[in-house]
Amino acid sequence: MFNTLPPTGVPIDKLVIDGNASSADSSFAEMISVRLGGETFLTNSGRTALYLLLTSLKKIYPDRNEIIIPDYTCWSVPSAIMKAGLKVKPVDIELNTLSIDPDILVNSIGEKTCAVIVTHLLGIPGAVERIEEICKNKGVALIDDAAQAFGAKVKSREVGSFGDALVLSFGRGKCITTLHGGAVVVRNKELLREFEIHYSNLPEEEYSDKSDRFQLKVYQKLFNRRYYWIPDNMPFLKIGETIYDPDFPVNKMPDKRTRRGQIMMERLDQINEDRIKISNKYRAVLSGINGIMLPETPINDEPCYLRMPVLIYDNIKREKILKKGHPLGISGMYPGTVSAIPELSSDMTRDSYCPIAEKVADALITLPTHFGVTDRDIDNIAILLESANKLKSN
């Protein structure tokens, strides 16, 4: 209890807390635009970013009301769709990418399809090249959701650089953080004109530098494994909890918060390199262990591994690993598929059952890949997973 490794996190130091950005000649938004291409707009959250995009697309395509998404993804995605007054259409996923299966997508797009949102779960690139081609051929918009995959690549091309627009998230558990925040990058000219209208009318989120500095200091302190047990044992904080909630505030990111984003951008590649090194160590020690599966991504892709996914198909074994592995930062992901969200039952369309998504929802666990993970942690996690067969019989 008193030595608990957080499941995810980003390194925070005094420079980030003080917000003294070294790239005074370039703004946070400009840095994103240069990296991914397009016009960047900063928001108070990733959900807001997606909601604003969808609201703009709704104006462009008033006769289309369905948004296709993977059936296993963050519940913030359907929350934003519902807030925009559109319908969710979940489709099944690929087991290796944990994202939309393009073979299923091609037959799921219909006359009511407004857009496809491709997500890249845990920093693993989806089949976005092929999905982009399908969307172009079908005449529907593609939103590249890189909220969990900022810096990941598909054949040397960055995730987020595909489609008509992309969304990013800078929450506490994402690739980089500004505490709260998100971004939209728009490349489609017609969509850009409509988006600018919606964005220009947004108020800026209320901001207190004193509050942000305090929260970052707390984040820095409680990320330490000797202290993480404190917030981890406060249920009202809802740490790591996935909630479907379309009722969220919609604001611009405060200008003063963007300075921390600049600092984080300068460190993004190094943060991802460290995560990849840890994920490679996991692969080395976990390969060959019976009863677990590590999703294999295409050889030319470069995941950034926000967390390391492991599939365990024995439910009893999985639950015991989650319980015993909690101090080591082992955790689950989302509580179920998008199709299983009760509040969506009357505002969702489905072509077919999504067996792979359900399989993943029941089997997925994640391993920490952040800077606080040591070689000893990795060895202990491997020992726990290797002893899973014994755990079942105890």
Side-chain angles (χ1 to χ4, degrees), residues 102-256:
D103 290 332
I104 295 175
L105 173 65
V106 72
N107 294 316
S108 297
I109 295 174
E111 61 181 16
K112 289 292 186 181
T113 304
C114 177
V116 174
I117 301 173
V118 58
T119 61
H120 309 276
L121 195 66
L122 300 170
I124 301 172
V128 66
E129 271 189 322
R130 189 171 167 209
I131 291 170
E132 182 179 53
E133 182 181 355
I134 291 169
C135 289
K136 284 180 180 178
N137 290 338
K138 296 281 189 176
V140 300
L142 172 61
I143 298 173
D144 196 359
D145 182 347
Q148 296 186 22
F150 196 7
K153 295 179 181 178
V154 175
K155 296 178 183 176
S156 76
R157 183 177 169 184
E158 287 216 21
V159 166
S161 66
F162 296 83
D164 298 279
L166 72 105
V167 294
L168 294 167
S169 175
F170 309 119
R172 288 183 287 262
K174 295 303 190 296
C175 298
I176 56 174
T177 186
T178 54
L179 274 180
H180 317 283
V184 173
V185 183
V186 185
R187 287 181 283 266
N188 179 292
K189 291 182 179 179
E190 184 180 9
L191 178 57
L192 177 59
R193 287 193 295 270
E194 190 63 46
F195 187 90
E196 286 177 324
I197 295 171
H198 290 281
Y199 187 80
S200 63
N201 294 323
L202 283 188
E204 190 174 283
E205 181 185 7
E206 290 186 14
Y207 176 82
S208 163
D209 191 58
K210 183 177 180 181
S211 174
D212 263 30
R213 288 162 67 94
F214 174 76
Q215 289 183 64
L216 284 164
K217 287 178 181 178
V218 171
Y219 180 104
Q220 180 190 44
K221 188 75 171 177
L222 294 184
F223 187 84
N224 188 303
R225 68 178 70 215
R226 289 175 296 174
Y227 303 107
Y228 183 72
W229 65 271
I230 300 173
D232 191 44
N233 283 273
M234 295 179 177
F236 62 88
L237 293 178
K238 299 180 180 180
I239 292 179
E241 187 175 338
T242 297
I243 301 172
Y244 169 77
D245 180 16
D247 186 20
F248 53 87
V250 176
N251 300 104
K252 295 178 183 177
M253 180 186 287
D255 285 339
K256 291 184 179 179

Side-chain angles (χ1 to χ4, degrees), residues 70-94:
D71 196 24
Y72 189 71
T73 194
C74 179
W75 289 11
S76 291
V77 175
S79 296
I81 294 170
M82 288 300 296
K83 189 177 183 69
L86 297 164
K87 288 185 177 292
V88 175
K89 187 173 185 178
V91 300
D92 211 359
I93 63 175
E94 297 180 298

